[in-house]
Structure formats: C-alpha cells, structure tokens
Coordinates of all heavy atoms in Angstrom, one line a residue:
I272 N -39.9 23.0 70.8 CA -41.1 23.7 70.5 C -40.7 25.0 69.7 O -40.0 25.8 70.1 CB -41.9 24.1 71.7 CG1 -42.3 22.9 72.6 CG2 -43.2 24.9 71.4 CD1 -42.8 23.3 74.0
D273 N -41.3 25.0 68.5 CA -40.8 26.1 67.5 C -41.2 27.5 68.1 O -42.4 27.8 68.2 CB -41.5 25.9 66.2 CG -41.0 27.0 65.1 OD1 -40.1 27.7 65.5 OD2 -41.6 27.0 64.0
R274 N -40.2 28.3 68.5 CA -40.5 29.7 69.1 C -39.6 30.6 68.3 O -39.4 31.8 68.8 CB -40.1 29.7 70.5 CG -40.8 28.7 71.4 CD -42.3 29.0 71.4 NE -42.6 30.2 72.1 CZ -43.9 30.7 72.2 NH1 -44.9 30.1 71.6 NH2 -44.1 31.9 72.8
N275 N -39.2 30.3 67.1 CA -38.4 31.2 66.3 C -39.0 32.6 66.0 O -38.4 33.6 66.1 CB -38.0 30.6 65.0 CG -36.9 29.5 65.2 OD1 -35.9 29.7 65.7 ND2 -37.2 28.3 64.7
K276 N -40.3 32.6 65.7 CA -41.1 33.8 65.5 C -41.0 34.7 66.8 O -40.8 35.9 66.7 CB -42.5 33.5 65.1 CG -43.4 34.7 64.9 CD -44.8 34.3 64.4 CE -45.7 35.5 64.2 NZ -46.1 36.1 65.5
Q277 N -41.4 34.0 67.9 CA -41.4 34.8 69.2 C -40.0 35.4 69.6 O -39.9 36.4 70.1 CB -42.0 33.9 70.3 CG -43.5 33.7 70.1 CD -43.8 32.6 69.1 OE1 -42.9 31.9 68.6 NE2 -45.1 32.5 68.8
I278 N -39.0 34.5 69.3 CA -37.6 34.9 69.7 C -37.2 36.1 68.8 O -36.6 37.1 69.3 CB -36.6 33.8 69.5 CG1 -36.9 32.7 70.6 CG2 -35.2 34.4 69.6 CD1 -36.1 31.5 70.4
Q279 N -37.6 36.2 67.5 CA -37.3 37.3 66.7 C -38.1 38.6 67.1 O -37.7 39.7 67.1 CB -37.7 36.9 65.2 CG -37.2 38.0 64.2 CD -35.7 38.2 64.3 OE1 -35.0 37.2 64.2 NE2 -35.3 39.5 64.4
E280 N -39.4 38.3 67.6 CA -40.1 39.4 68.1 C -39.5 40.0 69.4 O -39.4 41.2 69.5 CB -41.6 39.0 68.4 CG -42.4 38.7 67.2 CD -43.8 38.2 67.6 OE1 -44.0 37.8 68.8 OE2 -44.7 38.1 66.7
W281 N -39.0 39.1 70.2 CA -38.3 39.6 71.4 C -37.1 40.4 70.9 O -36.8 41.5 71.5 CB -37.9 38.4 72.3 CG -37.2 38.7 73.5 CD1 -37.8 38.8 74.7 CD2 -35.8 39.1 73.7 NE1 -36.9 39.2 75.7 CE2 -35.6 39.3 75.1 CE3 -34.7 39.1 72.9 CZ2 -34.4 39.7 75.7 CZ3 -33.4 39.5 73.5 CH2 -33.3 39.8 74.8
L282 N -36.3 39.9 70.0 CA -35.1 40.7 69.6 C -35.4 42.0 68.9 O -34.8 43.0 69.2 CB -34.4 39.8 68.5 CG -33.6 38.5 69.1 CD1 -33.1 37.7 68.0 CD2 -32.4 39.0 70.0
D283 N -36.5 42.0 68.1 CA -36.8 43.2 67.4 C -37.2 44.3 68.4 O -36.9 45.4 68.3 CB -38.0 43.0 66.4 CG -37.6 42.2 65.2 OD1 -36.4 42.1 64.9 OD2 -38.4 41.6 64.5
F284 N -38.1 43.9 69.4 CA -38.5 44.8 70.4 C -37.4 45.4 71.2 O -37.3 46.6 71.4 CB -39.5 44.1 71.4 CG -40.2 45.1 72.3 CD1 -41.4 45.7 72.0 CD2 -39.6 45.4 73.5 CE1 -42.0 46.5 72.9 CE2 -40.2 46.3 74.4 CZ -41.4 46.9 74.1
N285 N -36.4 44.6 71.6 CA -35.3 45.1 72.5 C -34.3 45.8 71.7 O -33.9 46.9 72.1 CB -34.7 43.9 73.2 CG -35.5 43.4 74.3 OD1 -35.4 44.0 75.5 ND2 -36.2 42.3 74.2
I286 N -34.0 45.4 70.5 CA -33.0 46.0 69.7 C -33.5 47.4 69.2 O -32.8 48.4 69.2 CB -32.6 45.2 68.5 CG1 -31.8 43.9 69.0 CG2 -31.7 45.9 67.5 CD1 -31.5 42.8 68.0
N287 N -34.7 47.5 68.8 CA -35.2 48.8 68.3 C -35.4 49.8 69.3 O -35.7 51.0 69.0 CB -36.6 48.5 67.6 CG -36.5 47.7 66.3 OD1 -35.4 47.6 65.7 ND2 -37.5 47.0 65.9
S288 N -35.3 49.5 70.6 CA -35.4 50.5 71.7 C -34.1 50.8 72.3 O -34.1 51.4 73.4 CB -36.5 50.1 72.6 OG -36.3 48.7 73.1
I289 N -33.0 50.3 71.8 CA -31.7 50.7 72.4 C -31.4 52.1 72.2 O -31.6 52.7 71.1 CB -30.6 49.8 71.7 CG1 -30.7 48.4 72.1 CG2 -29.2 50.3 72.1 CD1 -29.7 47.4 71.4
N290 N -30.9 52.8 73.3 CA -30.6 54.2 73.2 C -29.2 54.5 72.8 O -28.5 53.6 72.5 CB -31.0 54.9 74.6 CG -30.1 54.4 75.7 OD1 -29.0 53.9 75.5 ND2 -30.6 54.6 76.9
S291 N -28.8 55.8 72.9 CA -27.5 56.2 72.4 C -26.4 55.7 73.2 O -25.2 55.7 72.8 CB -27.4 57.7 72.3 OG -27.6 58.3 73.5
N292 N -26.6 55.2 74.5 CA -25.7 54.7 75.3 C -25.5 53.2 75.1 O -24.6 52.5 75.8 CB -26.0 54.9 76.8 CG -26.0 56.4 77.1 OD1 -25.1 57.2 76.7 ND2 -27.0 56.8 77.9
G293 N -26.3 52.6 74.3 CA -26.2 51.2 74.1 C -27.2 50.4 75.0 O -27.1 49.1 75.0
F294 N -27.9 51.1 75.8 CA -28.8 50.5 76.8 C -30.2 50.9 76.6 O -30.7 51.2 75.4 CB -28.3 50.7 78.2 CG -27.0 50.1 78.5 CD1 -25.8 50.8 78.5 CD2 -27.0 48.7 78.8 CE1 -24.6 50.1 78.7 CE2 -25.8 48.1 79.1 CZ -24.6 48.8 79.1
W295 N -31.1 51.0 77.6 CA -32.5 51.4 77.5 C -32.8 52.5 78.5 O -32.2 52.5 79.6 CB -33.4 50.2 77.7 CG -33.2 49.2 76.6 CD1 -34.1 49.0 75.6 CD2 -32.2 48.2 76.4 NE1 -33.7 48.0 74.7 CE2 -32.5 47.4 75.3 CE3 -31.1 47.8 77.2 CZ2 -31.7 46.4 74.8 CZ3 -30.3 46.8 76.7 CH2 -30.6 46.1 75.5
G296 N -33.7 53.4 78.1 CA -34.0 54.6 78.9 C -34.0 55.8 78.1 O -33.5 55.9 77.0
T297 N -34.7 56.8 78.7 CA -34.9 58.1 77.9 C -33.9 59.1 78.3 O -33.7 60.0 77.6 CB -36.3 58.6 78.2 OG1 -36.4 58.8 79.7 CG2 -37.4 57.7 77.8
D298 N -33.0 58.9 79.4 CA -32.1 59.8 79.8 C -30.8 59.7 78.9 O -30.3 58.6 78.8 CB -31.7 59.6 81.3 CG -30.9 60.8 81.9 OD1 -30.4 61.5 81.1 OD2 -30.8 60.9 83.1
S299 N -30.3 60.8 78.3 CA -29.1 60.7 77.5 C -27.8 60.5 78.3 O -26.8 60.0 77.7 CB -29.0 61.9 76.7 OG -28.9 63.1 77.4
K300 N -27.9 60.9 79.6 CA -26.7 60.7 80.4 C -26.7 59.2 80.9 O -27.7 58.7 81.4 CB -26.8 61.7 81.6 CG -26.7 63.1 81.2 CD -26.6 64.1 82.4 CE -26.5 65.5 82.0 NZ -26.6 66.4 83.1
M301 N -25.5 58.7 80.9 CA -25.3 57.3 81.4 C -25.4 57.3 82.9 O -24.8 58.2 83.6 CB -24.0 56.8 80.9 CG -23.7 55.3 81.3 SD -24.9 54.2 80.5 CE -24.3 52.7 81.0
D302 N -26.1 56.3 83.5 CA -26.1 56.1 84.9 C -26.1 54.6 85.2 O -26.2 53.8 84.4 CB -27.3 56.8 85.5 CG -28.7 56.3 84.9 OD1 -28.8 55.1 84.6 OD2 -29.6 57.1 84.6
Y303 N -26.1 54.3 86.6 CA -26.0 53.0 87.0 C -27.2 52.2 86.6 O -27.1 51.0 86.3 CB -25.8 53.0 88.5 CG -24.4 53.4 89.0 CD1 -24.2 54.7 89.5 CD2 -23.4 52.6 88.9 CE1 -23.0 55.1 89.9 CE2 -22.1 52.9 89.4 CZ -21.9 54.2 89.8 OH -20.7 54.6 90.3
L304 N -28.4 52.8 86.7 CA -29.6 52.1 86.4 C -29.6 51.6 84.9 O -30.0 50.4 84.7 CB -30.9 53.0 86.5 CG -32.2 52.5 86.1 CD1 -32.5 51.2 86.8 CD2 -33.3 53.5 86.2
Q305 N -29.1 52.4 84.0 CA -29.1 52.0 82.6 C -28.3 50.7 82.4 O -28.8 49.7 81.8 CB -28.6 53.0 81.7 CG -29.6 54.1 81.4 CD -29.2 55.1 80.3 OE1 -28.7 54.6 79.3 NE2 -29.6 56.3 80.4
F306 N -27.1 50.7 82.9 CA -26.2 49.5 82.6 C -26.6 48.3 83.5 O -26.6 47.2 83.0 CB -24.8 49.9 82.8 CG -24.1 49.4 84.0 CD1 -23.8 48.1 84.2 CD2 -23.6 50.3 85.0 CE1 -23.1 47.6 85.3 CE2 -23.0 49.9 86.1 CZ -22.7 48.5 86.3
Q307 N -27.0 48.5 84.8 CA -27.3 47.4 85.6 C -28.6 46.8 85.3 O -28.8 45.5 85.4 CB -27.3 47.8 87.1 CG -26.8 46.7 88.1 CD -28.1 45.9 88.5 OE1 -29.2 46.4 88.6 NE2 -27.8 44.6 88.8

C-alpha cells in the first residue's frame, strides 16, 4: 500500500524536531528520559 508520502511526513516531523543532544525535548542538558 503506497505510504511513501506519509513515511516522508513522519521523517520530516521527527527529524525537524531533533534537539542539540540528538534526541527530543526542550532541556539542553542530557538526561535518561531523552535517550530512553
């Protein structure tokens, strides 16, 4: 079932919100929550 458009949307949303630690979250300090 062609889902290439939706997969790209998933990728764009997640990649565009990666923080400076390489993960997700607003805290600049790395913690267990961010990586796990």
Side-chain angles (χ1 to χ4, degrees):
I272 301 172
D273 184 7
R274 302 296 292 176
N275 286 304
K276 177 179 179 289
Q277 288 78 12
I278 291 171
Q279 190 59 53
E280 288 177 350
W281 185 96
L282 289 171
D283 290 342
F284 186 94
N285 282 280
I286 292 173
N287 291 337
S288 52
I289 293 176
N290 65 20
S291 60
N292 295 319
F294 292 100
W295 290 262
T297 57
D298 194 341
S299 61
K300 294 182 180 179
M301 185 63 179
D302 56 37
Y303 288 100
L304 172 60
Q305 283 194 35
F306 104 72
Q307 208 272 327

